[in-house]
Amino acid sequence: MSTPSEPALSAIMGERRRLINLAYRLLGSLADAEDVVQETYARWYAMSPEQREAIRSPGGWLTTVAGRICLDVLGSARARRERYVGEWLPEPVPDSVEWAGTPADPADRVTLDESVGMAFLVVLESMTPAERVAFVLHDVFRYPFADVAEIVGRTPAACRQLAVSARRRVREARPPTTSTSTARHAGVVRDFKVAWQAKDIGALVQLLDPDAVATSDGGGLVTALPVPLHGGEPIARFLAGLVTDAPELALLERTVNGRPGLVVQVDDTVEAVLALDVEADRVTRIWAVRNPEKLRPWTAG
């Protein structure tokens, strides 16, 4: 039996990074994204060499298959999310230079940009599977609607309408604001860390928007807020209480989904990863992921 030539094999495996990036944005889970890409390659190599050679665009074929698998996963995920204990948050990813694990290939890492921010991923969760796939493929990865239609199984015109509906969801969830630069965002996160570590409730209240919301995800495996906590002062008191209960708690500044965030450690063990949204130099949203199954990239080593 013939085997693929090295250039052909290299080209096929070279698609891995793009597929991981696509699947992560579609699913909000790095673990699920890796499973999708593995299944995509398994289907590729399940074909005969002749069948593979007949495919004019292997990259396009891989994208189509991965997109369809993601669409199926999103459909089943809705039922799983209904059974999920507490709030479900996307799986946070670190900056590539801070990656705690040792992936076999750098292509396993997710490229970080605004489309992978926690706020953006949370909005994607509000979309139907078809909306999410059409929107991410077209607006984020710039695939023409004709190609999106082949993956979603609808007409190009229908996919265009799905993307329009998805954009409306994004606008409604995130009204236009003055964007905060990375440097200013990092400065607010640093001040927030210092105030939290010092249990300075007054400073925390000043750094938190009065209408701030904190959401945590424990998945029923560890303790977490059962519902989002609203209000700057309640959040400040809750955070100060955590340090009182665990004086050995350490806060580390890390890049979380492309933006400055915090990692919570207790006795050198990662207990939580926090993504923060900052507007007008105040923290407006805190997403704290505590589910240990979602902290694998931060704890493996």
Side-chain angles (χ1 to χ4, degrees):
M1 183 176 69
S2 63
T3 58
S5 64
E6 281 305 314
L9 178 60
S10 175
I12 289 298
M13 297 312 295
E15 296 288 331
R16 182 175 178 83
R17 178 189 293 275
R18 186 174 56 80
L19 295 174
I20 285 283
N21 275 279
L22 172 64
Y24 174 72
R25 285 161 176 79
L26 287 177
L27 303 176
S29 165
L30 187 59
D32 287 347
E34 291 169 343
D35 288 343
V36 165
V37 174
Q38 183 176 345
E39 173 63 20
T40 300
Y41 278 109
R43 294 187 187 185
W44 171 263
Y45 286 111
M47 294 188 294
S48 69
E50 293 75 21
Q51 289 174 312
R52 294 197 294 268
E53 289 171 8
I55 295 174
R56 295 178 60 184
S57 173
W61 186 94
L62 291 168
T63 299
T64 298
V65 172
R68 287 173 178 168
I69 296 173
C70 285
L71 191 59
D72 290 341
V73 172
L74 285 170
S76 62
R78 290 204 147 196
R80 295 202 310 271
R81 303 276 165 80
E82 290 175 359
R83 299 192 299 270
Y84 197 81
V85 178
E87 300 290 318
W88 190 96
L89 291 175
E91 181 180 339
V93 294
D95 183 77
S96 60
V97 298
E98 297 172 354
W99 196 279
T102 52
D105 191 313
D108 288 345
R109 296 170 178 167
V110 170
T111 302
L112 303 178
D113 61 29
E114 63 180 8
S115 74
V116 82
M118 188 63 74
F120 188 80
L121 292 175
V122 169
V123 175
L124 292 181
E125 284 297 312
S126 69
M127 300 178 185
T128 68
E131 281 178 336
R132 186 166 183 168
V133 173
F135 176 70
V136 170
L137 282 169
H138 181 267
D139 285 40
V140 178
F141 287 87
R142 302 304 178 189
Y143 284 93
F145 282 118
D147 293 347
V148 175
E150 187 176 352
I151 294 171
V152 179
R154 304 193 188 188
T155 65
C159 290
R160 187 183 300 275
Q161 286 305 309
L162 287 170
V164 168
S165 174
R167 289 184 208 118
R168 187 182 306 116
R169 289 179 186 265
V170 172
R171 286 195 303 270
E172 291 172 352
R174 294 185 59 74
T177 58
T178 302
S179 61
T180 303
S181 69
T182 299
R184 290 182 66 179
H185 186 119
V188 173
V189 171
R190 186 171 297 115
D191 292 343
F192 187 81
K193 166 195 165 185
V194 171
W196 185 2
Q197 199 89 60
K199 298 184 291 185
D200 188 337
I201 293 176
L204 284 171
V205 170
Q206 289 300 311
L207 288 164
L208 284 158
D209 186 272
D211 296 320
V213 181
T215 305
S216 63
D217 174 350
L221 302 176
V222 294
T223 56
L225 291 168
V227 295
L229 184 59
H230 293 259
E233 185 168 344
I235 293 173
R237 294 189 179 282
F238 174 77
L239 294 175
L242 293 179
V243 180
T244 299
D245 293 340
E248 68 278 19
L249 181 148
L251 301 172
L252 308 176
E253 295 173 47
R254 292 289 185 268
T255 299
V256 181
N257 286 63
R259 298 288 277 172
L262 295 171
V263 170
V264 180
Q265 287 188 343
V266 176
D267 295 330
D268 295 324
T269 299
V270 174
E271 295 289 340
V273 173
L274 275 62
L276 299 94
D277 218 5
V278 174
E279 294 176 13
D281 294 334
R282 284 187 146 186
V283 176
T284 57
R285 292 297 304 259
I286 300 173
W287 297 281
V289 179
R290 296 212 62 222
N291 184 339
E293 293 180 350
K294 297 183 180 183
L295 299 180
R296 181 172 52 89
W298 304 83
T299 58

